[in-house]
Amino acid sequence: MADAKADDAYLERYSRNILLREIGLEGQARIRAAKVLIVGVGGLGSPAAFYLAAAGVGTLGLADGDAVELSNLQRQIVHDSGDIGRAKVVSAAEKIARLNPDVAVNLHRERLVAANAADIVAGYDFVIDATDGFESKFLINDSCVVTKTPFSHGGVMRFTGQTMTVRPGRSACYRCVFEAPPPEGSVFVCSEVGVLGAVAGMLGTIQAVEAIKIVTGVGAPLTDALLTFDALAMSFRKVPLKRNPACPVCGNHAASGKMIDGTFGKSGLKSG
Protein backbone atom coordinates (compact mmCIF):
# COMPACT_ATOMS: atom_id res chain seq x y z
CA MET A 1 0.00 0.00 0.00
CA ALA A 2 2.86 2.38 0.83
CA ASP A 3 4.34 1.82 -2.63
CA ALA A 4 0.98 2.51 -4.25
CA LYS A 5 0.68 5.75 -2.33
CA ALA A 6 4.18 6.71 -3.39
CA ASP A 7 3.34 5.97 -7.01
CA ASP A 8 0.15 8.02 -6.74
CA ALA A 9 2.08 10.96 -5.28
CA TYR A 10 4.66 10.70 -8.06
CA LEU A 11 2.00 10.70 -10.75
CA GLU A 12 0.18 13.62 -9.17
CA ARG A 13 3.30 15.75 -8.61
CA TYR A 14 4.48 15.39 -12.20
CA SER A 15 1.09 15.02 -13.88
CA ARG A 16 1.46 18.19 -15.96
CA ASN A 17 4.78 16.92 -17.34
CA ILE A 18 3.41 13.43 -17.95
CA LEU A 19 0.38 14.79 -19.80
CA LEU A 20 2.71 16.29 -22.39
CA ARG A 21 2.75 13.88 -25.32
CA GLU A 22 6.43 14.56 -25.93
CA ILE A 23 7.41 13.66 -22.35
CA GLY A 24 4.95 11.18 -20.84
CA LEU A 25 6.02 8.58 -18.28
CA GLU A 26 9.17 7.65 -20.18
CA GLY A 27 10.36 11.23 -20.40
CA GLN A 28 9.60 11.83 -16.73
CA ALA A 29 11.68 8.76 -15.87
CA ARG A 30 14.57 10.26 -17.84
CA ILE A 31 14.20 13.52 -15.94
CA ARG A 32 14.25 11.60 -12.67
CA ALA A 33 17.44 9.80 -13.69
CA ALA A 34 19.20 12.96 -14.87
CA LYS A 35 22.09 14.71 -13.18
CA VAL A 36 22.36 18.44 -13.92
CA LEU A 37 25.12 20.75 -12.68
CA ILE A 38 24.35 24.45 -12.19
CA VAL A 39 27.51 26.55 -12.03
CA GLY A 40 26.66 29.80 -10.28
CA VAL A 41 23.66 29.97 -7.96
CA GLY A 42 22.77 33.56 -8.75
CA GLY A 43 20.48 35.42 -11.13
CA LEU A 44 20.44 32.68 -13.78
CA GLY A 45 21.07 29.71 -11.52
CA SER A 46 18.22 30.54 -9.15
CA PRO A 47 15.30 30.14 -11.61
CA ALA A 48 17.08 27.26 -13.35
CA ALA A 49 17.45 25.42 -10.03
CA PHE A 50 13.83 26.02 -9.03
CA TYR A 51 12.35 24.84 -12.31
CA LEU A 52 14.61 21.80 -12.63
CA ALA A 53 13.85 20.77 -9.05
CA ALA A 54 10.13 21.25 -9.66
CA ALA A 55 10.38 19.17 -12.84
CA GLY A 56 11.83 16.31 -10.82
CA VAL A 57 15.46 16.20 -11.97
CA GLY A 58 16.93 13.41 -9.85
CA THR A 59 20.22 15.05 -8.96
CA LEU A 60 21.14 18.74 -9.00
CA GLY A 61 24.71 19.84 -8.51
CA LEU A 62 25.24 23.38 -7.22
CA ALA A 63 28.67 24.91 -7.71
CA ASP A 64 29.39 28.31 -6.19
CA GLY A 65 31.96 29.55 -3.71
CA ASP A 66 30.22 32.82 -2.89
CA ALA A 67 28.10 33.93 0.05
CA VAL A 68 24.77 35.74 -0.29
CA GLU A 69 25.01 39.55 -0.33
CA LEU A 70 22.27 42.15 0.00
CA SER A 71 22.73 43.32 -3.59
CA ASN A 72 22.05 39.75 -4.82
CA LEU A 73 18.45 39.71 -3.63
CA GLN A 74 17.15 41.92 -6.44
CA ARG A 75 17.47 38.97 -8.86
CA GLN A 76 18.79 35.85 -7.12
CA ILE A 77 15.38 34.55 -6.11
CA VAL A 78 16.51 31.30 -4.50
CA HIS A 79 17.91 33.38 -1.60
CA ASP A 80 16.14 35.69 0.85
CA SER A 81 17.04 38.34 3.42
CA GLY A 82 17.73 35.77 6.10
CA ASP A 83 20.41 34.16 3.94
CA ILE A 84 22.76 37.16 3.81
CA GLY A 85 26.25 35.99 4.71
CA ARG A 86 25.45 32.31 4.17
CA ALA A 87 26.95 30.13 1.45
CA LYS A 88 24.84 30.33 -1.69
CA VAL A 89 24.94 26.58 -2.26
CA VAL A 90 23.64 25.91 1.26
CA SER A 91 20.90 28.52 0.97
CA ALA A 92 19.80 27.16 -2.40
CA ALA A 93 19.89 23.53 -1.26
CA GLU A 94 17.51 24.31 1.60
CA LYS A 95 14.98 25.95 -0.73
CA ILE A 96 15.20 23.05 -3.18
CA ALA A 97 14.61 20.54 -0.37
CA ARG A 98 11.45 22.38 0.65
CA LEU A 99 10.20 22.56 -2.93
CA ASN A 100 10.93 18.93 -3.80
CA PRO A 101 12.52 16.62 -1.21
CA ASP A 102 12.87 13.89 -3.86
CA VAL A 103 15.72 15.80 -5.53
CA ALA A 104 19.25 14.91 -4.40
CA VAL A 105 21.51 17.97 -4.17
CA ASN A 106 25.29 17.83 -4.47
CA LEU A 107 27.08 20.87 -3.03
CA HIS A 108 30.31 22.03 -4.64
CA ARG A 109 31.29 24.88 -2.35
CA GLU A 110 34.54 25.62 -4.10
CA ARG A 111 36.11 27.58 -6.90
CA LEU A 112 36.13 25.74 -10.18
CA VAL A 113 39.54 26.06 -11.79
CA ALA A 114 41.33 24.17 -14.54
CA ALA A 115 42.61 21.65 -12.01
CA ASN A 116 39.16 20.48 -10.84
CA ALA A 117 36.51 21.66 -13.30
CA ALA A 118 36.62 18.71 -15.70
CA ASP A 119 36.45 16.18 -12.86
CA ILE A 120 33.34 17.85 -11.42
CA VAL A 121 31.65 18.32 -14.79
CA ALA A 122 32.23 14.67 -15.75
CA GLY A 123 29.80 13.53 -13.06
CA TYR A 124 26.79 15.16 -14.73
CA ASP A 125 24.64 14.73 -17.84
CA PHE A 126 24.16 18.44 -18.49
CA VAL A 127 25.70 21.68 -17.24
CA ILE A 128 24.15 25.13 -16.93
CA ASP A 129 26.62 28.00 -17.13
CA ALA A 130 25.03 30.60 -14.85
CA THR A 131 28.19 32.60 -14.21
CA ASP A 132 28.90 36.22 -15.08
CA GLY A 133 32.63 36.21 -15.89
CA PHE A 134 34.17 35.57 -19.29
CA GLU A 135 37.00 33.42 -17.96
CA SER A 136 34.42 31.31 -16.11
CA LYS A 137 32.45 30.79 -19.30
CA PHE A 138 35.49 29.66 -21.27
CA LEU A 139 36.49 27.33 -18.45
CA ILE A 140 33.04 25.73 -18.43
CA ASN A 141 33.08 25.42 -22.21
CA ASP A 142 36.49 23.77 -22.30
CA SER A 143 35.63 21.42 -19.43
CA CYS A 144 32.40 20.35 -21.10
CA VAL A 145 34.04 19.84 -24.49
CA VAL A 146 36.83 17.76 -22.95
CA THR A 147 34.33 15.59 -21.05
CA LYS A 148 31.78 15.58 -23.91
CA THR A 149 29.11 16.98 -21.59
CA PRO A 150 26.35 19.09 -23.21
CA PHE A 151 25.77 22.49 -21.63
CA SER A 152 23.85 25.75 -21.82
CA HIS A 153 25.70 29.06 -21.97
CA GLY A 154 23.86 32.10 -20.67
CA GLY A 155 24.64 35.74 -20.05
CA VAL A 156 22.64 38.85 -19.16
CA MET A 157 23.32 42.57 -18.86
CA ARG A 158 21.00 45.51 -18.36
CA PHE A 159 17.85 44.53 -20.35
CA THR A 160 19.45 41.96 -22.67
CA GLY A 161 20.31 38.28 -22.61
CA GLN A 162 21.96 35.66 -24.76
CA THR A 163 22.11 31.88 -24.68
CA MET A 164 23.23 28.89 -26.72
CA THR A 165 23.34 25.15 -26.14
CA VAL A 166 26.47 23.14 -26.93
CA ARG A 167 26.64 19.45 -27.74
CA PRO A 168 30.39 18.74 -27.88
CA GLY A 169 31.51 17.14 -31.10
CA ARG A 170 28.17 17.87 -32.74
CA SER A 171 27.67 21.64 -32.59
CA ALA A 172 29.57 24.90 -32.31
CA CYS A 173 31.09 25.48 -28.89
CA TYR A 174 31.39 28.79 -27.06
CA ARG A 175 35.04 29.14 -28.10
CA CYS A 176 34.11 28.57 -31.75
CA VAL A 177 32.11 31.79 -31.54
CA PHE A 178 34.03 34.01 -29.12
CA GLU A 179 37.55 32.50 -29.36
CA ALA A 180 39.06 33.92 -26.15
CA PRO A 181 38.18 36.05 -23.12
CA PRO A 182 38.42 39.82 -23.72
CA PRO A 183 41.20 41.75 -21.97
CA GLU A 184 40.46 42.38 -18.32
CA GLY A 185 38.57 45.64 -17.79
CA SER A 186 37.64 46.03 -21.47
CA VAL A 187 34.00 44.93 -21.06
CA PHE A 188 31.41 46.20 -18.58
CA VAL A 189 29.88 43.77 -16.09
CA CYS A 190 26.50 43.81 -14.35
CA SER A 191 27.96 45.24 -11.14
CA GLU A 192 28.93 48.32 -13.18
CA VAL A 193 25.94 48.82 -15.50
CA GLY A 194 23.15 46.86 -13.80
CA VAL A 195 20.70 44.17 -14.86
CA LEU A 196 16.93 43.90 -14.50
CA GLY A 197 16.19 40.97 -12.22
CA ALA A 198 13.37 39.62 -14.36
CA VAL A 199 15.71 39.50 -17.36
CA ALA A 200 17.93 37.07 -15.46
CA GLY A 201 14.77 35.09 -14.70
CA MET A 202 13.87 34.92 -18.39
CA LEU A 203 17.29 33.63 -19.35
CA GLY A 204 17.64 31.12 -16.51
CA THR A 205 14.23 29.68 -17.34
CA ILE A 206 15.25 29.18 -20.97
CA GLN A 207 18.34 27.34 -19.76
CA ALA A 208 16.19 25.04 -17.62
CA VAL A 209 14.07 24.21 -20.67
CA GLU A 210 17.20 23.38 -22.66
CA ALA A 211 18.37 21.03 -19.91
CA ILE A 212 15.04 19.18 -19.94
CA LYS A 213 15.05 18.95 -23.73
CA ILE A 214 18.51 17.40 -23.75
CA VAL A 215 17.89 14.85 -20.99
CA THR A 216 14.52 13.76 -22.44
CA GLY A 217 15.50 13.97 -26.11
CA VAL A 218 12.47 16.06 -27.03
CA GLY A 219 12.36 19.09 -29.29
CA ALA A 220 15.21 20.87 -31.03
CA PRO A 221 17.95 22.11 -28.66
CA LEU A 222 19.35 25.59 -29.16
CA THR A 223 22.49 24.27 -30.84
CA ASP A 224 24.39 25.99 -33.66
CA ALA A 225 22.51 29.18 -32.82
CA LEU A 226 22.83 32.12 -30.45
CA LEU A 227 19.50 33.34 -29.08
CA THR A 228 19.53 36.99 -28.03
CA PHE A 229 16.75 39.14 -26.65
CA ASP A 230 16.13 42.76 -25.71
CA ALA A 231 13.49 43.02 -23.00
CA LEU A 232 12.92 46.75 -23.58
CA ALA A 233 11.66 46.07 -27.08
CA MET A 234 10.68 42.46 -26.18
CA SER A 235 12.42 41.34 -29.35
CA PHE A 236 14.17 38.00 -29.90
CA ARG A 237 16.73 37.04 -32.53
CA LYS A 238 18.33 33.69 -33.34
CA VAL A 239 21.72 33.97 -35.01
CA PRO A 240 22.93 30.84 -36.88
CA LEU A 241 26.34 29.48 -35.85
CA LYS A 242 28.64 26.78 -37.11
CA ARG A 243 31.63 24.91 -35.74
CA ASN A 244 35.02 26.49 -36.33
CA PRO A 245 37.39 23.88 -37.80
CA ALA A 246 40.28 25.86 -36.30
CA CYS A 247 38.79 25.99 -32.77
CA PRO A 248 41.60 25.10 -30.35
CA VAL A 249 39.23 23.07 -28.15
CA CYS A 250 36.80 21.29 -30.50
CA GLY A 251 38.34 21.90 -33.94
CA ASN A 252 39.97 19.45 -36.32
CA HIS A 253 43.40 19.83 -34.75
CA ALA A 254 42.42 20.29 -31.11
CA ALA A 255 44.40 18.35 -28.52
CA SER A 256 42.07 15.51 -27.54
CA GLY A 257 41.10 15.45 -23.87
CA LYS A 258 43.24 18.45 -22.97
CA MET A 259 42.23 21.94 -21.88
CA ILE A 260 44.11 24.95 -23.15
CA ASP A 261 47.24 25.30 -21.01
CA GLY A 262 47.55 28.24 -18.65
CA THR A 263 44.37 30.04 -19.64
CA PHE A 264 42.36 29.40 -16.50
CA GLY A 265 44.84 28.31 -13.89
CA LYS A 266 43.87 31.03 -11.39
CA SER A 267 40.34 31.83 -12.45
CA GLY A 268 37.29 31.09 -10.32
CA LEU A 269 33.61 31.07 -11.07
CA LYS A 270 31.26 33.82 -9.90
CA SER A 271 27.50 33.84 -10.19
CA GLY A 272 25.56 36.76 -11.62
Side-chain angles (χ1 to χ4, degrees):
M1 182 64 69
D3 289 342
K5 288 183 178 179
D7 289 344
D8 288 345
Y10 175 85
L11 293 173
E12 183 175 357
R13 177 182 283 271
Y14 304 115
S15 62
R16 300 308 190 271
N17 283 355
I18 295 168
L19 285 169
L20 295 170
R21 176 173 51 84
E22 295 85 352
I23 294 181
L25 281 169
E26 182 178 348
Q28 189 60 44
R30 291 178 179 175
I31 294 171
R32 190 180 197 178
K35 298 180 179 180
V36 178
L37 175 66
I38 300 174
V39 186
V41 193
L44 305 180
S46 290
F50 269 138
Y51 274 111
L52 291 175
V57 168
T59 301
L60 282 180
L62 306 177
D64 199 314
D66 289 347
V68 180
E69 301 176 359
L70 181 60
S71 63
N72 299 154
L73 302 183
Q74 165 259 8
R75 65 202 178 283
Q76 299 183 15
I77 57 172
V78 78
H79 314 295
D80 58 44
S81 298
D83 294 316
I84 294 173
R86 304 178 68 214
K88 287 185 178 180
V89 293
V90 174
S91 166
E94 290 180 356
K95 311 305 189 306
I96 290 169
R98 289 202 289 268
L99 173 64
N100 190 348
D102 294 336
V103 176
V105 182
N106 297 334
L107 304 187
H108 302 282
R109 189 179 175 181
E110 58 188 305
R111 293 168 63 89
L112 268 67
V113 295
N116 66 9
D119 287 339
I120 293 174
V121 164
Y124 294 89
D125 304 311
F126 191 83
V127 175
I128 290 180
D129 164 22
T131 65
D132 69 351
F134 286 101
E135 287 192 347
S136 301
K137 295 183 181 304
F138 281 95
L139 173 60
I140 293 169
N141 177 83
D142 294 3
S143 301
C144 288
V145 171
V146 166
T147 60
K148 297 180 171 56
T149 306
F151 76 97
S152 169
H153 150 74
V156 291
M157 185 176 294
R158 304 188 77 246
F159 298 94
T160 65
Q162 67 175 36
T163 182
M164 62 184 286
T165 297
V166 176
R167 303 187 83 166
R170 300 171 59 178
S171 70
C173 79
Y174 185 75
R175 196 180 281 275
C176 286
V177 182
F178 298 104
E179 297 186 2
E184 186 174 354
S186 64
V187 179
F188 288 117
V189 295
C190 291
S191 59
E192 298 171 323
V193 299
V195 60
L196 186 67
V199 167
M202 292 169 65
L203 201 289
T205 302
I206 291 172
Q207 291 184 282
V209 173
E210 287 297 294
I212 291 172
K213 286 160 59 179
I214 290 288
V215 301
T216 60
V218 306
L222 190 60
T223 53
D224 288 325
L226 183 70
L227 178 69
T228 65
F229 67 83
D230 179 344
L232 283 180
M234 202 49 73
S235 61
F236 290 76
R237 181 187 181 201
K238 187 186 288 188
V239 180
L241 304 174
K242 61 182 180 179
R243 291 181 68 189
N244 177 7
C247 176
V249 175
C250 77
N252 297 337
H253 303 291
S256 178
K258 185 177 181 181
M259 296 174 67
I260 294 178
D261 290 338
T263 307
F264 306 110
K266 297 182 179 179
S267 69
L269 303 182
K270 185 175 177 60
S271 55

